[in-house]
PDB file of all heavy atoms in Angstrom:
ATOM      1  N   LEU A 134       8.328  -9.893 -18.503  1.00  0.00           N
ATOM      2  CA  LEU A 134       9.153 -10.161 -19.676  1.00  0.00           C
ATOM      3  C   LEU A 134      10.156 -11.275 -19.410  1.00  0.00           C
ATOM      4  O   LEU A 134      10.487 -12.058 -20.291  1.00  0.00           O
ATOM      5  CB  LEU A 134       9.889  -8.896 -20.121  1.00  0.00           C
ATOM      6  CG  LEU A 134       9.000  -7.773 -20.654  1.00  0.00           C
ATOM      7  CD1 LEU A 134       9.855  -6.629 -21.179  1.00  0.00           C
ATOM      8  CD2 LEU A 134       8.082  -8.288 -21.754  1.00  0.00           C
ATOM      9  N   HIS A 135      10.633 -11.343 -18.164  1.00  0.00           N
ATOM     10  CA  HIS A 135      11.573 -12.392 -17.798  1.00  0.00           C
ATOM     11  C   HIS A 135      10.974 -13.768 -18.073  1.00  0.00           C
ATOM     12  O   HIS A 135      11.573 -14.599 -18.739  1.00  0.00           O
ATOM     13  CB  HIS A 135      11.940 -12.281 -16.317  1.00  0.00           C
ATOM     14  CG  HIS A 135      13.167 -11.478 -16.074  1.00  0.00           C
ATOM     15  ND1 HIS A 135      13.183 -10.365 -15.273  1.00  0.00           N
ATOM     16  CD2 HIS A 135      14.426 -11.603 -16.552  1.00  0.00           C
ATOM     17  CE1 HIS A 135      14.398  -9.851 -15.266  1.00  0.00           C
ATOM     18  NE2 HIS A 135      15.166 -10.578 -16.031  1.00  0.00           N
ATOM     19  N   SER A 136       9.794 -13.968 -17.522  1.00  0.00           N
ATOM     20  CA  SER A 136       9.173 -15.277 -17.681  1.00  0.00           C
ATOM     21  C   SER A 136       8.764 -15.515 -19.129  1.00  0.00           C
ATOM     22  O   SER A 136       8.842 -16.635 -19.623  1.00  0.00           O
ATOM     23  CB  SER A 136       7.970 -15.402 -16.749  1.00  0.00           C
ATOM     24  OG  SER A 136       7.138 -14.277 -16.857  1.00  0.00           O
ATOM     25  N   TYR A 137       8.335 -14.448 -19.798  1.00  0.00           N
ATOM     26  CA  TYR A 137       7.959 -14.602 -21.209  1.00  0.00           C
ATOM     27  C   TYR A 137       9.166 -15.079 -22.016  1.00  0.00           C
ATOM     28  O   TYR A 137       9.081 -16.015 -22.813  1.00  0.00           O
ATOM     29  CB  TYR A 137       7.452 -13.279 -21.782  1.00  0.00           C
ATOM     30  CG  TYR A 137       6.849 -13.414 -23.157  1.00  0.00           C
ATOM     31  CD1 TYR A 137       5.546 -13.877 -23.318  1.00  0.00           C
ATOM     32  CD2 TYR A 137       7.584 -13.126 -24.300  1.00  0.00           C
ATOM     33  CE1 TYR A 137       4.989 -14.030 -24.580  1.00  0.00           C
ATOM     34  CE2 TYR A 137       7.038 -13.266 -25.566  1.00  0.00           C
ATOM     35  CZ  TYR A 137       5.743 -13.720 -25.698  1.00  0.00           C
ATOM     36  OH  TYR A 137       5.198 -13.872 -26.937  1.00  0.00           O
ATOM     37  N   PHE A 138      10.263 -14.421 -21.790  1.00  0.00           N
ATOM     38  CA  PHE A 138      11.529 -14.764 -22.441  1.00  0.00           C
ATOM     39  C   PHE A 138      11.880 -16.235 -22.224  1.00  0.00           C
ATOM     40  O   PHE A 138      12.144 -16.987 -23.161  1.00  0.00           O
ATOM     41  CB  PHE A 138      12.622 -13.854 -21.852  1.00  0.00           C
ATOM     42  CG  PHE A 138      14.020 -14.192 -22.261  1.00  0.00           C
ATOM     43  CD1 PHE A 138      14.577 -13.658 -23.409  1.00  0.00           C
ATOM     44  CD2 PHE A 138      14.799 -15.032 -21.474  1.00  0.00           C
ATOM     45  CE1 PHE A 138      15.878 -13.957 -23.783  1.00  0.00           C
ATOM     46  CE2 PHE A 138      16.102 -15.335 -21.836  1.00  0.00           C
ATOM     47  CZ  PHE A 138      16.641 -14.798 -23.001  1.00  0.00           C
ATOM     48  N   LYS A 139      11.836 -16.651 -20.967  1.00  0.00           N
ATOM     49  CA  LYS A 139      12.227 -18.019 -20.621  1.00  0.00           C
ATOM     50  C   LYS A 139      11.234 -19.053 -21.155  1.00  0.00           C
ATOM     51  O   LYS A 139      11.627 -20.065 -21.741  1.00  0.00           O
ATOM     52  CB  LYS A 139      12.340 -18.138 -19.099  1.00  0.00           C
ATOM     53  CG  LYS A 139      12.790 -19.498 -18.616  1.00  0.00           C
ATOM     54  CD  LYS A 139      12.919 -19.523 -17.094  1.00  0.00           C
ATOM     55  CE  LYS A 139      12.952 -20.951 -16.563  1.00  0.00           C
ATOM     56  NZ  LYS A 139      13.032 -20.992 -15.082  1.00  0.00           N
ATOM     57  N   GLU A 140       9.946 -18.784 -20.948  1.00  0.00           N
ATOM     58  CA  GLU A 140       8.926 -19.747 -21.357  1.00  0.00           C
ATOM     59  C   GLU A 140       8.871 -19.928 -22.867  1.00  0.00           C
ATOM     60  O   GLU A 140       8.474 -20.976 -23.370  1.00  0.00           O
ATOM     61  CB  GLU A 140       7.552 -19.309 -20.836  1.00  0.00           C
ATOM     62  CG  GLU A 140       7.335 -19.645 -19.381  1.00  0.00           C
ATOM     63  CD  GLU A 140       6.171 -18.863 -18.776  1.00  0.00           C
ATOM     64  OE1 GLU A 140       5.282 -18.449 -19.543  1.00  0.00           O
ATOM     65  OE2 GLU A 140       6.172 -18.670 -17.542  1.00  0.00           O
ATOM     66  N   LYS A 141       9.257 -18.887 -23.567  1.00  0.00           N
ATOM     67  CA  LYS A 141       9.188 -18.941 -25.033  1.00  0.00           C
ATOM     68  C   LYS A 141      10.464 -19.533 -25.633  1.00  0.00           C
ATOM     69  O   LYS A 141      10.399 -20.350 -26.554  1.00  0.00           O
ATOM     70  CB  LYS A 141       8.988 -17.508 -25.563  1.00  0.00           C
ATOM     71  CG  LYS A 141       8.473 -17.446 -26.969  1.00  0.00           C
ATOM     72  CD  LYS A 141       6.962 -17.488 -27.025  1.00  0.00           C
ATOM     73  CE  LYS A 141       6.498 -17.554 -28.475  1.00  0.00           C
ATOM     74  NZ  LYS A 141       5.077 -17.420 -28.653  1.00  0.00           N
ATOM     75  N   LEU A 142      11.601 -19.161 -25.119  1.00  0.00           N
ATOM     76  CA  LEU A 142      12.860 -19.563 -25.758  1.00  0.00           C
ATOM     77  C   LEU A 142      13.462 -20.849 -25.207  1.00  0.00           C
ATOM     78  O   LEU A 142      14.140 -21.583 -25.934  1.00  0.00           O
ATOM     79  CB  LEU A 142      13.880 -18.423 -25.662  1.00  0.00           C
ATOM     80  CG  LEU A 142      13.477 -17.132 -26.382  1.00  0.00           C
ATOM     81  CD1 LEU A 142      14.577 -16.085 -26.273  1.00  0.00           C
ATOM     82  CD2 LEU A 142      13.152 -17.408 -27.843  1.00  0.00           C
ATOM     83  N   LEU A 143      13.216 -21.124 -23.917  1.00  0.00           N
ATOM     84  CA  LEU A 143      13.813 -22.335 -23.350  1.00  0.00           C
ATOM     85  C   LEU A 143      13.354 -23.610 -24.063  1.00  0.00           C
ATOM     86  O   LEU A 143      14.188 -24.447 -24.419  1.00  0.00           O
ATOM     87  CB  LEU A 143      13.511 -22.413 -21.848  1.00  0.00           C
ATOM     88  CG  LEU A 143      14.188 -23.560 -21.095  1.00  0.00           C
ATOM     89  CD1 LEU A 143      15.688 -23.526 -21.316  1.00  0.00           C
ATOM     90  CD2 LEU A 143      13.869 -23.477 -19.610  1.00  0.00           C
ATOM     91  N   PRO A 144      12.053 -23.780 -24.304  1.00  0.00           N
ATOM     92  CA  PRO A 144      11.607 -24.986 -25.011  1.00  0.00           C
ATOM     93  C   PRO A 144      12.220 -25.095 -26.409  1.00  0.00           C
ATOM     94  O   PRO A 144      12.536 -26.191 -26.868  1.00  0.00           O
ATOM     95  CB  PRO A 144      10.087 -24.793 -25.118  1.00  0.00           C
ATOM     96  CG  PRO A 144       9.740 -23.851 -24.025  1.00  0.00           C
ATOM     97  CD  PRO A 144      10.914 -22.937 -23.895  1.00  0.00           C
ATOM     98  N   VAL A 145      12.381 -23.956 -27.058  1.00  0.00           N
ATOM     99  CA  VAL A 145      12.967 -23.956 -28.403  1.00  0.00           C
ATOM    100  C   VAL A 145      14.406 -24.462 -28.357  1.00  0.00           C
ATOM    101  O   VAL A 145      14.795 -25.358 -29.119  1.00  0.00           O
ATOM    102  CB  VAL A 145      12.926 -22.534 -29.010  1.00  0.00           C
ATOM    103  CG1 VAL A 145      13.727 -22.486 -30.297  1.00  0.00           C
ATOM    104  CG2 VAL A 145      11.489 -22.113 -29.273  1.00  0.00           C
ATOM    105  N   LEU A 146      15.178 -23.904 -27.439  1.00  0.00           N
ATOM    106  CA  LEU A 146      16.574 -24.332 -27.328  1.00  0.00           C
ATOM    107  C   LEU A 146      16.644 -25.793 -26.902  1.00  0.00           C
ATOM    108  O   LEU A 146      17.441 -26.569 -27.424  1.00  0.00           O
ATOM    109  CB  LEU A 146      17.319 -23.449 -26.319  1.00  0.00           C
ATOM    110  CG  LEU A 146      18.757 -23.896 -26.024  1.00  0.00           C
ATOM    111  CD1 LEU A 146      19.589 -23.918 -27.293  1.00  0.00           C
ATOM    112  CD2 LEU A 146      19.404 -22.985 -24.984  1.00  0.00           C
ATOM    113  N   ARG A 147      15.782 -26.167 -25.965  1.00  0.00           N
ATOM    114  CA  ARG A 147      15.778 -27.553 -25.488  1.00  0.00           C
ATOM    115  C   ARG A 147      15.513 -28.512 -26.651  1.00  0.00           C
ATOM    116  O   ARG A 147      16.188 -29.548 -26.774  1.00  0.00           O
ATOM    117  CB  ARG A 147      14.708 -27.737 -24.410  1.00  0.00           C
ATOM    118  CG  ARG A 147      14.950 -28.964 -23.530  1.00  0.00           C
ATOM    119  CD  ARG A 147      13.735 -29.315 -22.689  1.00  0.00           C
ATOM    120  NE  ARG A 147      13.275 -28.242 -21.810  1.00  0.00           N
ATOM    121  CZ  ARG A 147      13.819 -27.965 -20.618  1.00  0.00           C
ATOM    122  NH1 ARG A 147      14.843 -28.657 -20.195  1.00  0.00           N
ATOM    123  NH2 ARG A 147      13.337 -27.001 -19.888  1.00  0.00           N
ATOM    124  N   GLY A 148      14.572 -28.125 -27.497  1.00  0.00           N
ATOM    125  CA  GLY A 148      14.251 -28.965 -28.651  1.00  0.00           C
ATOM    126  C   GLY A 148      15.436 -29.141 -29.579  1.00  0.00           C
ATOM    127  O   GLY A 148      15.762 -30.261 -29.995  1.00  0.00           O
ATOM    128  N   LEU A 149      16.090 -28.021 -29.880  1.00  0.00           N
ATOM    129  CA  LEU A 149      17.245 -28.056 -30.783  1.00  0.00           C
ATOM    130  C   LEU A 149      18.386 -28.858 -30.165  1.00  0.00           C
ATOM    131  O   LEU A 149      19.044 -29.657 -30.840  1.00  0.00           O
ATOM    132  CB  LEU A 149      17.717 -26.630 -31.079  1.00  0.00           C
ATOM    133  CG  LEU A 149      16.789 -25.776 -31.954  1.00  0.00           C
ATOM    134  CD1 LEU A 149      17.166 -24.307 -31.861  1.00  0.00           C
ATOM    135  CD2 LEU A 149      16.848 -26.253 -33.401  1.00  0.00           C
ATOM    136  N   LEU A 150      18.611 -28.620 -28.871  1.00  0.00           N
ATOM    137  CA  LEU A 150      19.720 -29.281 -28.172  1.00  0.00           C
ATOM    138  C   LEU A 150      19.477 -30.791 -28.092  1.00  0.00           C
ATOM    139  O   LEU A 150      20.366 -31.597 -28.398  1.00  0.00           O
ATOM    140  CB  LEU A 150      19.873 -28.685 -26.772  1.00  0.00           C
ATOM    141  CG  LEU A 150      21.087 -29.126 -25.956  1.00  0.00           C
ATOM    142  CD1 LEU A 150      22.380 -28.758 -26.672  1.00  0.00           C
ATOM    143  CD2 LEU A 150      21.070 -28.499 -24.569  1.00  0.00           C
ATOM    144  N   ASP A 151      18.267 -31.165 -27.712  1.00  0.00           N
ATOM    145  CA  ASP A 151      17.945 -32.590 -27.607  1.00  0.00           C
ATOM    146  C   ASP A 151      18.114 -33.298 -28.942  1.00  0.00           C
ATOM    147  O   ASP A 151      18.630 -34.413 -29.008  1.00  0.00           O
ATOM    148  CB  ASP A 151      16.496 -32.771 -27.097  1.00  0.00           C
ATOM    149  CG  ASP A 151      16.403 -32.495 -25.601  1.00  0.00           C
ATOM    150  OD1 ASP A 151      17.464 -32.336 -24.965  1.00  0.00           O
ATOM    151  OD2 ASP A 151      15.277 -32.449 -25.074  1.00  0.00           O
ATOM    152  N   ALA A 152      17.667 -32.634 -30.013  1.00  0.00           N
ATOM    153  CA  ALA A 152      17.782 -33.235 -31.345  1.00  0.00           C
ATOM    154  C   ALA A 152      19.250 -33.468 -31.703  1.00  0.00           C
ATOM    155  O   ALA A 152      19.606 -34.511 -32.252  1.00  0.00           O
ATOM    156  CB  ALA A 152      17.111 -32.335 -32.383  1.00  0.00           C
TER     157      ALA A 152
END
Side-chain angles (χ1 to χ4, degrees):
Chain A
L134 293 185
H135 267 122
S136 49
Y137 189 80
F138 172 88
K139 182 178 163 182
E140 281 163 25
K141 198 88 185 188
L142 298 182
L143 186 55
V145 171
L146 174 59
R147 200 193 302 279
L149 290 165
L150 187 60
D151 284 351

